[in-house]
Amino acid sequence: MHAAPARPTAPAKRPRGRPRKTVDERDDGNRRRALIVGAARLFRRKGFDGTSTRDIAAAAGMQSGSPFYHFRSKQALLFAVMEEGMRHAVERQREAIAAAGMEQLPPPEQLRLLVRHHFQVLLGPGSDFIPVMLYEARSVSPRQRTSLAQLQGEYEQAWIPVLEALHAAGRLQADVKLARLLIFGALNWSVQWFDRRKGATLDELTAAALALFIGERA
Amino acid sequence: MHAAPARPTAPAKRPRGRPRKTVDERDDGNRRRALIVGAARLFRRKGFDGTSTRDIAAAAGMQSGSPFYHFRSKQALLFAVMEEGMRHAVERQREAIAAAGMEQLPPPEQLRLLVRHHFQVLLGPGSDFIPVMLYEARSVSPRQRTSLAQLQGEYEQAWIPVLEALHAAGRLQADVKLARLLIFGALNWSVQWFDRRKGATLDELTAAALALFIGERA
DNA sequence: CCTACCGATCGGTAGG
DNA sequence: CCTACCGATCGGTAGG
């Protein structure tokens, strides 16, 4: 994904490409990506305003001014984290739905699949992007927020028919729209208290959520 | 509450007290309180790291260095916001329980009372303190966090027997501890999306939450 | 509580 | 992507 396409028409500035100085060959995609990954971790741990661009540069092994070669501003870097996280989540949700043949499952199992996947996105390994998007939304521009809201809309599209089916079947008493907001709250808040090293597993968490929302026993 | 006590033994530095320069007489309690209230609003809107002590001073009509006459540090001011918010919430929850004679109610109605009061604390008028405590916890010291956790423990004490009664009665299928965490998440997240000016009322929100958690119809 | 101020740090940039 | 740097702002303090 996002591999740099070859540019056959570009004139070679130096013969036989640029020299490789060390073993860790760097190309723009790698460095940009290192900034995004490091920024995601720092933004999650210390918040956007609590993280300096120097911290981010150091995390990627760069000097203090170098992030601005890759990103116009600190805010643009934040948006990149959020957008990449959201695109990734949407994509992985699509895959999970397809892989399980979700449409064939009974609605409670459809909800279980979505909840389990959402916990994975929030709490699984390397899961800094979505928590940053959820908890640092204040720091992006209105235009950026609108753009992210569109991706979030895509993500939520998968949930709506499931909740409506459960509502129609009498398994979900609450108003569907409010239920969706409350359910996402219950899941998203787990970022604040879940500790992967101890306590429940993601499967146990999922079971508890299903039991709470639709009275589904494990 | 917190009225400054008279000090009869203190020698009067000036005859007949200090002169009142304007109509808005100021005493220490008032000014300290103005800082707390202003800080709460700013911390909620812009976050702790995104708020400068100059912003806070200006909101209280002071010069930039003056907040430090009342508080040792910006962090101490944050803690004051959180602690006061939490003490207030615990106190008001106690009053709500007593006023309704909660022990006499059936468990679903006990939960309704607690949920409705919690939404009031989170979303009612002048409700900046608890959202700040929930969303800026990262910025207080471990010692302060421990102190706040104790107040939170008091607050949650009221919920545990209610959830256990519902669990015993088969109205709540989920593990009680996980259910409590998920429920608080669903409620606390409402800070992110609830708009008091439009959309649902707190009563409708409460009804939806009850329907979701224990299948209680309005 | 104000005045005047300090050292540190911040996001960002020019030029290479 | 580094070097060298800038103007702005920050939390906090001394002295009154």
Side-chain angles (χ1 to χ4, degrees), chain A residues 26 31 62-63 66 69-70:
Chain A
R26 299 173 170 175
R31 301 284 72 208
M62 294 177 185
Q63 296 304 314
S66 302
Y69 170 76
H70 296 278

Side-chain angles (χ1 to χ4, degrees), chain B residues 31 62-63 66 69-70:
Chain B
R31 301 282 74 206
M62 294 176 185
Q63 297 302 315
S66 301
Y69 171 75
H70 296 278

Side-chain angles (χ1 to χ4, degrees), chain A residues 195-216:
Chain A
D195 184 344
R196 216 182 316 160
R197 298 182 308 269
K198 57 183 181 182
T201 66
L202 296 192
D203 282 333
E204 288 165 345
L205 247 186
T206 302
L210 266 285
L212 179 63
F213 301 148
I214 59 171
E216 183 81 354

Side-chain angles (χ1 to χ4, degrees), chain A residues 92-153:
Chain A
R92 294 221 324 193
Q93 181 177 255
R94 208 192 317 267
E95 289 167 8
I97 289 171
M102 189 179 86
E103 296 79 3
Q104 316 302 329
L105 299 173
E109 291 308 311
Q110 294 185 5
L111 183 61
R112 183 187 306 276
L113 178 78
L114 293 175
V115 167
R116 172 60 221 238
H117 175 262
H118 195 64
F119 276 132
Q120 186 69 28
V121 162
L122 289 174
L123 307 172
S127 61
D128 294 319
F129 291 67
I130 299 298
V132 167
M133 194 203 56
L134 293 173
Y135 288 94
E136 304 296 332
R138 168 175 50 210
S139 297
V140 298
S141 73
R143 206 187 306 272
Q144 290 171 330
R145 219 191 317 277
T146 302
S147 173
L148 292 170
Q150 196 170 332
L151 285 166
Q152 289 168 27

Side-chain angles (χ1 to χ4, degrees), chain B residues 2-212:
Chain B
H2 285 297
R7 290 183 239 156
T9 59
K13 296 256 166 88
R14 309 175 204 186
R16 322 279 173 218
R18 28 179 172 156
R20 304 190 178 197
K21 289 204 291 194
T22 62
V23 276
D24 57 325
E25 163 73 289
R26 299 175 172 174
D27 67 69
D28 284 2
N30 272 347
R31 301 282 74 206
R32 187 185 147 93
R33 171 113 195 112
L35 283 169
I36 291 180
V37 170
R41 205 170 75 227
L42 288 164
F43 288 157
R44 176 167 185 181
R45 187 161 20 124
K46 314 205 293 174
F48 177 72
D49 288 314
T51 301
S52 72
T53 55
R54 282 162 175 80
D55 288 342
I56 297 167
M62 294 176 185
Q63 297 302 315
S64 68
S66 301
F68 298 98
Y69 171 75
H70 296 278
F71 294 93
R72 207 177 285 176
S73 66
K74 187 187 177 189
Q75 194 189 41
L77 182 43
L78 173 64
F79 178 69
V81 168
M82 294 180 173
E83 192 187 28
E84 168 160 338
M86 211 47 230
R87 288 196 190 286
H88 193 222
V90 167
E91 182 56 35
R92 293 221 326 195
Q93 182 177 253
R94 208 193 317 267
E95 289 166 8
I97 288 171
M102 190 178 86
E103 296 80 1
Q104 316 301 329
L105 299 173
E109 292 308 312
Q110 294 184 3
L111 182 61
R112 184 187 306 276
L113 178 79
L114 292 175
V115 167
R116 173 59 223 240
H117 175 264
H118 195 66
F119 276 133
Q120 186 69 29
V121 161
L122 289 173
L123 307 172
S127 61
D128 293 320
F129 291 67
I130 299 300
V132 167
M133 194 204 54
L134 292 173
Y135 288 95
E136 304 295 332
R138 167 175 49 210
S139 296
V140 297
S141 72
R143 205 187 306 271
Q144 291 171 329
R145 219 191 316 278
T146 302
S147 172
L148 291 169
Q150 196 171 333
L151 285 166
Q152 289 169 25
E154 277 190 58
Y155 191 85
E156 291 171 13
Q157 276 308 315
W159 294 65
I160 294 173
V162 175
L163 296 178
E164 280 172 350
L166 288 164
H167 187 76
R171 297 293 301 267
L172 189 71
Q173 312 281 351
D175 171 81
V176 169
K177 189 188 166 192
L178 288 176
R180 175 170 55 80
L181 290 164
L182 291 166
I183 288 172
F184 273 115
L187 307 184
N188 291 345
W189 191 254
S190 69
V191 166
Q192 305 285 348
W193 54 267
F194 183 74
D195 184 344
R196 218 184 314 161
R197 298 181 309 268
K198 58 184 181 184
T201 65
L202 296 191
D203 282 332
E204 289 166 348
L205 247 187
T206 302
L210 267 284
L212 179 62

